[in-house]
Amino acid sequence: MLKKLLPATLLTLTTALTLGAIPAAHASQATPAAAAAAAAVPSASPASPASPAGGLISTAFTLPGEKAYPEGIATDPRTHTVYVGSYADGTVYRARPGQRTAEVFLPAGTDGRHTANGLRVDARGRLWVTDSTAGVAVYDTASGRRLAHFEVAGNGPLFVNDLTITPDGTAYLTDSVRSVIYRVTPDLLAAGSGALYPAYDLSGHLTPSPAGSFALNGIVSDPAGRFLLAVDMTAGDLHRIDLRTGAISRVALRGGDLTHADGLDLAPDGTLRVAHNTTNTLTRWHVSPDGTRARLTRTITDPSLQIPTTLSHTPGRTLVVRSQFDKGGPMGPGTPTAFTIASVRGL
């Protein structure tokens, strides 16, 4: 998700008054997309999913409910089942292969969850779900039973946003307010619960941005487990974290930048796919094997993407979340159309 304003209470309230109501369950944690909208809302309003550009964009499936406002998405590589999380109330939806309408997998408020932002399915088929107001929970995809949960240590503003899982089973999570990355090791996961502490602090490495704005957002990991890539969506930068040495560096971008970048998806061949939310844009990049350089190779911009927040790529298609945050959600007043997940070809 996008940018947000701090200090927490006063500026979040200002954001809410300017951009529309924030769901009551997490009113103190305005979505980063909401604040970004204040800086850059597209001139064209989102169009109906029925009018995609060039036939590249279609609807994969629909989400039930009138106020889903989806944010995160993950695909189980073993079963091809897709999971989608609601920023509005923390519902997690499930769409099995071939389903045209998703079903509720984890109801709103399950285990006290207020939001469902970053989602990932690990190699053992466990579903990880971040709650921006607290931390992350891990679920058994067969039964829906919660297997583990971890919450951010200490008091103060936070926004746990996205996550990635490395080949050794370690999860890394971005905090968009604190500009840190948390870590959950396999040992911590086996323990079932615990506190989240920063593993990497990027606050001194980020490009200075307006006071209170969000920076860290989407995160992915090298398929070989050598490094992480985390996006600074305010400055449009991509940062590389070396998992062996802890060194933090900026990726050299060629052909464009990652302003308003939200969700990331990194394929084994080095293809990085990115959702840029308020500009209704998707980009494709080629990342060098060592993760130090990235070159823009494709851009798709279309209002039918309806404020895309995250994406999940599998061979043959890319699934993209149409959040509609600007239609009665955290980005402003209005009435949304049916909530859907887009299928995009050619990305």
Side-chain angles (χ1 to χ4, degrees):
M1 297 173 69
L2 275 174
K3 295 185 268 185
K4 173 177 184 274
L5 299 177
L6 297 174
T9 305
L10 177 60
L11 291 181
T12 296
L13 177 59
T14 302
T15 301
L17 293 174
T18 303
L19 301 172
I22 298 169
H26 48 285
S28 65
Q29 295 290 340
T31 162
V41 175
S43 57
S45 60
S48 164
S51 57
L56 296 176
I57 305 170
S58 59
T59 295
F61 57 86
T62 300
L63 302 175
E66 297 180 352
K67 295 185 178 181
Y69 296 108
E71 208 284 337
I73 189 169
T75 302
D76 187 335
R78 307 164 312 146
T79 65
H80 303 293
T81 297
V82 181
Y83 298 89
V84 179
S86 166
Y87 176 76
D89 60 16
T91 299
V92 176
Y93 305 94
R94 175 175 62 190
R96 301 179 191 274
Q99 280 187 311
R100 298 296 297 174
T101 301
E103 60 189 354
V104 173
F105 175 59
L106 301 175
T110 301
D111 302 314
R113 186 177 55 254
H114 296 307
T115 71
N117 294 351
L119 275 68
R120 298 282 176 176
V121 179
D122 66 21
R124 294 180 58 181
R126 297 169 297 203
L127 176 65
W128 296 65
V129 182
T130 67
D131 179 341
S132 63
T133 69
V136 64
V138 185
Y139 292 91
D140 175 52
T141 52
S143 66
R145 180 172 63 92
R146 189 176 72 174
L147 303 174
H149 66 102
F150 305 91
E151 296 190 357
V152 175
N155 299 316
L158 72 153
F159 196 102
V160 183
N161 202 329
D162 208 350
L163 78 155
T164 189
I165 303 171
T166 55
D168 67 355
T170 301
Y172 294 90
L173 305 91
T174 56
D175 188 320
S176 297
V177 167
R178 301 184 180 186
S179 296
V180 301
I181 296 174
Y182 305 112
R183 176 171 55 204
V184 179
T185 65
D187 287 343
L188 286 174
L189 179 59
S193 64
L196 293 175
Y197 295 98
Y200 301 101
D201 186 344
L202 277 73
S203 57
H205 298 266
L206 303 178
T207 299
S209 58
S213 62
F214 268 29
L216 287 185
N217 199 330
I219 185 170
V220 290
S221 50
D222 165 38
R226 297 168 299 164
F227 57 84
L228 308 173
L229 298 176
V231 69
D232 175 348
M233 47 73 56
T234 303
D237 296 328
L238 188 64
H239 293 268
R240 181 188 187 275
I241 299 93
D242 191 301
L243 292 176
R244 183 179 64 85
T245 66
I248 300 170
S249 58
R250 193 171 299 166
V251 176
L253 301 179
R254 195 176 105 196
D257 61 42
L258 294 174
T259 304
H260 306 305
D262 197 328
L264 310 179
D265 183 285
L266 181 62
D269 65 357
T271 300
L272 178 68
R273 295 172 173 88
V274 183
H276 303 249
N277 42 38
T278 57
T279 56
N280 287 320
T281 296
L282 306 174
T283 57
R284 184 182 68 207
W285 302 73
H286 177 72
V287 178
S288 63
D290 62 1
T292 62
R293 304 178 309 281
R295 176 174 53 86
L296 180 65
T297 61
R298 184 77 194 270
T299 300
I300 297 173
T301 299
D302 192 85
S304 72
L305 292 169
Q306 299 181 298
I307 315 296
T309 50
T310 53
L311 69 173
S312 175
H313 180 78
T314 56
R317 71 174 180 174
T318 303
L319 297 178
V320 180
V321 172
R322 289 165 160 156
S323 74
Q324 295 194 74
F325 280 172
D326 62 337
K327 297 297 182 182
M331 280 174 56
T335 303
T337 60
F339 288 98
T340 63
I341 301 302
S343 178
V344 181
R345 296 186 298 107
L347 188 67

